[in-house]
Amino acid sequence: MEQYAIKGGNPLVGEVEIGGAKNAALPIIAASVMTDDTVYIDNIPDVRDTQVLLKAMENIGVFVKHENRHKVTINGANIHSLVVDDEYIRKIRASYYLIGALLGKYKHAEVALPGGCDIGCRAIDQHIKGFRALGTEVYIEHGLIKTRAKRLVGSHIYMDIVSVGATINVMMAAVLAEGRTIIENAAKEPHVVDLANFLNSMGAEIKGAGTDVIRIRGVQKLHGSDYTIIPDQIEAGTFMFAAAVTKGDIVVKNVIPKHLESISAKLTEIGCELKEADDCIRVVSSKPLVHTHVKTLPYPGFPTDMQPQITVALALSRGTSIVTESIFENRFKYVDELIKMGANIKVEGGDTAIIDGVPKYSGATLAAPDLRAGAALVLAALAAEGLSVVEDIHYIARGYEDFHLKLQNLGAQIEVVNSERELQRFKLKVG
Ligand code: EPZ
């Protein structure tokens, strides 16, 4: 099994180019089958989740051509099956975006229940509520969500909780429903806005994405588009925290600073210096880090997908910090791994981490429990004294393209190793 071997202690210095946003790419790729015309999508991150989704779409008859590593041509005119179920698709959360897309276009879709990172119960009741409000029959059988409608009819839907996935799924179906739909208490994440912009570029009529009320006027059909996905807010944030914890100096390039405001604000609070330009942010960490408190919230609050990364930094910051996770119920599993490195963290009630900062981490063998926690453990290993091994790095490959190569470019001593022999070789090399 592949692992990262890491020798920590180097400040990371240099520039890193941020790729397209995974969580925007997934719904945009799914939505591209909603027209029979050809769609061109650029800036798709080459990560496992997007690869799996594209494969699953090919399996139901979607034409997919990779123009280059980040650009695909998609044509959904010859879909031969509305049942999406294979061993891969069950592993990714975003498979359920095919429900909204296919239901909107064909009024029928059956898709395997979503998997995804194990970060707590990941209910889909709000998706189902939204589909039903549009006139869809929905039931769950043999591990599939089955949806069918005679007609989709616009509706006024109040989401009981703010959900990125439910907002996106209902928005996709509503675009091709008859009449108007209003989604209240909608998610406001940049990827929700990016999907709305993409759908509008295909002829949809969506207003208000980015606010908590989205208004959609249904149209009869959508047409082709040529679209470029926004940069990945979480990949950018992860590299910004890499600078913080390694006492480094990193310019993250090709970002939208507005999307990173909550992350930038916390980095400034803990003692980093930030300089923003139009499409890049420089993070310099030259002073000792200091404690703060943070609570994860829907956008524009501090993202749950950055919670492990900030915890890694706060565990190295002077004083006591409190991190409260308000989105998912099981997102502190990586804390046991940080404790192996010398961190002083207590998790109370499953949603609160009380952190007493320590001056340093020491290297250890760590298991990545999920995507973002996996990336955060890599940051901890880069900050630590000595050698670490991060196992289960397939999680990290779900959402970070060339993670170790980008880190190497910043001066990190990190390699993928496949055997004890390769690990020994790495140890000899780094001394
Ligand atoms: C998306 O997941 C992202 N995934 C997650 O990123 C991200 O952590 C999350 O949004 C929050 O920002 C993708 O975009 C593919 P939610 P999603 O629906 O859509 C509850 C990553 O690391 N809920 O906003 O599944 C749910 O249990 C991943 O890139 C219901 O109760 O998140 C959770 O507590 C991990 N009923 C909360 O809402 C529902 O019907 C937020 O979930 C739907 C959700």
Side-chain angles (χ1 to χ4, degrees), residues 96-274:
Y96 63 23
Y97 290 146
L98 287 170
I99 308 175
L102 295 173
L103 178 67
K105 188 176 177 197
Y106 298 104
K107 319 297 172 227
H108 173 200
E110 301 186 14
V111 178
L113 269 170
C117 282
D118 180 13
I119 50 182
C121 165
R122 301 184 71 178
I124 52 163
D125 56 304
Q126 298 305 304
H127 303 239
I128 293 175
K129 172 178 160 169
F131 293 145
R132 286 195 175 135
L134 298 175
T136 311
E137 261 183 59
V138 184
Y139 54 101
I140 297 178
E141 216 174 52
H142 307 302
L144 295 174
I145 309 173
K146 302 187 173 180
T147 60
R148 198 184 279 274
K150 285 204 181 72
R151 297 162 57 206
L152 289 175
V153 182
S155 179
H156 194 141
I157 301 160
Y158 187 92
M159 295 285 179
D160 298 320
I161 46 126
V162 179
S163 161
V164 170
T167 302
I168 284 178
N169 236 336
V170 174
M171 185 161 78
M172 287 199 282
V175 155
L176 290 173
E178 295 166 31
R180 284 165 187 254
T181 297
I182 300 176
I183 305 174
E184 306 244 23
N185 201 22
K188 297 182 282 212
E189 270 65 6
H191 28 289
V192 174
V193 179
D194 207 32
L195 172 69
N197 289 341
F198 172 65
L199 288 167
N200 284 342
S201 78
M202 296 168 82
E205 291 189 25
I206 303 171
K207 288 195 175 135
T211 75
D212 44 24
V213 184
I214 299 180
R215 293 168 200 277
I216 301 158
R217 187 196 290 271
V219 295
Q220 283 197 335
K221 59 191 253 194
L222 298 175
H223 54 71
S225 171
D226 191 338
Y227 195 78
T228 300
I229 288 167
I230 53 166
D232 197 305
Q233 171 203 15
I234 305 300
E235 187 194 15
T238 302
F239 281 99
M240 290 164 78
F241 271 91
V245 299
T246 64
K247 300 269 156 255
D249 179 348
I250 299 180
V251 181
V252 290
K253 294 176 77 178
N254 181 33
V255 297
I256 299 175
K258 173 92 192 129
H259 294 168
L260 295 163
E261 274 174 352
S262 64
I263 297 167
S264 299
K266 282 294 162 196
L267 282 164
T268 308
E269 256 176 68
I270 65 173
C272 296
E273 239 179 275
L274 269 71

